[in-house]
Amino acid sequence: MHHQFFSLFIDEWASLVAIGGSLGTAIALIMRAVLLPLKNSIDNLNQTIKALGDSTKDNAHRIDKLEDRFEEHLGEAKVRNQKISALEHEVFSHRN
């Protein structure tokens, strides 16, 4: 005696389940083969972006230091120019 469920016999249902499982496994393997390289590419991109961000922060810090040193040099140059002007005034005013 063969049992039927939704117009299909048990052996037909078993075949459908086996075929569906095989198709599901094949689709899963294909998706994994496609998605794994994509995931690796995304991970590499994330690492690159992080490295760029770190590099940008380092560069900003270096620029801040350079700006500070430049301002110090400007201040020193102004003092030096004032001393030179004072010496020139002293030397040339004593000659006359």
Side-chain angles (χ1 to χ4, degrees):
M1 170 179 208
H2 287 287
H3 296 285
Q4 279 189 323
F5 187 70
F6 288 115
S7 308
L8 294 176
F9 293 107
I10 291 177
D11 55 345
E12 292 171 329
W13 277 107
S15 297
L16 285 175
V17 169
I19 291 170
S22 298
L23 285 175
T25 301
I27 290 171
L29 290 174
I30 291 169
M31 287 181 65
R32 180 182 170 128
V34 169
L35 294 179
L36 189 60
L38 180 61
K39 180 191 176 299
N40 291 337
S41 295
I42 291 170
D43 289 343
N44 289 338
L45 183 60
N46 282 337
Q47 290 173 355
T48 301
I49 290 170
K50 184 182 181 313
L52 286 172
D54 292 343
S55 177
T56 301
K57 288 176 188 173
D58 291 343
N59 287 340
H61 184 66
R62 287 186 195 123
I63 289 170
D64 287 342
K65 280 185 175 181
L66 285 172
E67 286 175 343
D68 292 345
R69 288 180 59 201
F70 183 71
E71 288 175 8
E72 287 176 23
H73 287 299
L74 283 179
E76 291 170 2
K78 285 180 183 178
V79 169
R80 202 171 312 128
N81 286 340
Q82 288 172 348
K83 287 180 181 178
I84 290 171
S85 294
L87 285 172
E88 286 175 344
H89 179 71
E90 187 178 322
V91 167
F92 290 120
S93 66
H94 283 117
R95 279 190 170 177
N96 294 329

